[in-house]
């Protein structure tokens, strides 16, 4: 996703707001530290000690609740093969 943002003056420096969706995705907080670099003519801002939630497949399925009852989907209608 791309957002067009306005650069503003903050003291003797320039500042740009970080859109909410980026803040949420990177789990940023006020006073968080980031590194700024220039790569291939672009400004790259990366959080320090990034804590993006990453789950393993086992962790995702650990919360799965298995149904103990068989679910009835009704009688076949049409050309289903059972």
């Amino acid at each position: 996703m791309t957002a067009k943002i306005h650069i503003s003056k903050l003291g003797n420096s320039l500042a740009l707001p970080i859109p909410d969706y980026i803040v949420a995705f990177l789990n940023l907080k006020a006073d968080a530290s980031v590194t700024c670099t220039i790569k291939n003519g672009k400004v790259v801002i990366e959080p320090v000690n990034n804590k993006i939630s990453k789950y393993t497949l086992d962790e995702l399925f650990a919360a799965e609740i298995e149904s103990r009852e068989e679910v009835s989907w009704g009688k076949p209608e049409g050309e289903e093969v059972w």
Side-chain angles (χ1 to χ4, degrees):
M1 180 179 274
T2 303
K4 183 177 180 180
I5 55 178
H6 179 76
I7 298 175
S8 58
K9 186 94 164 135
L10 183 64
N12 290 329
S13 301
L14 297 179
L16 53 128
I18 301 172
D20 289 341
Y21 69 93
I22 294 174
V23 170
F25 181 79
L26 296 176
N27 195 27
L28 296 175
K29 306 287 183 221
D31 296 325
S33 295
V34 296
T35 59
C36 296
T37 55
I38 298 173
K39 292 182 183 175
N40 299 320
K42 297 180 181 182
V43 176
V44 178
I45 302 171
E46 297 176 298
V48 175
N49 296 326
N50 189 0
K51 294 183 181 182
I52 297 175
S53 297
K54 293 185 179 179
Y55 300 99
T56 65
L57 192 57
D58 289 334
E59 290 170 331
L60 290 172
F61 282 115
E64 275 296 305
I65 299 172
E66 291 186 30
S67 174
R68 294 191 173 109
E69 297 177 14
E70 185 174 327
V71 176
S72 172
W73 297 99
K75 298 184 299 182
E77 307 222 1
E79 298 181 33
E80 293 97 337
V81 176
W82 297 94

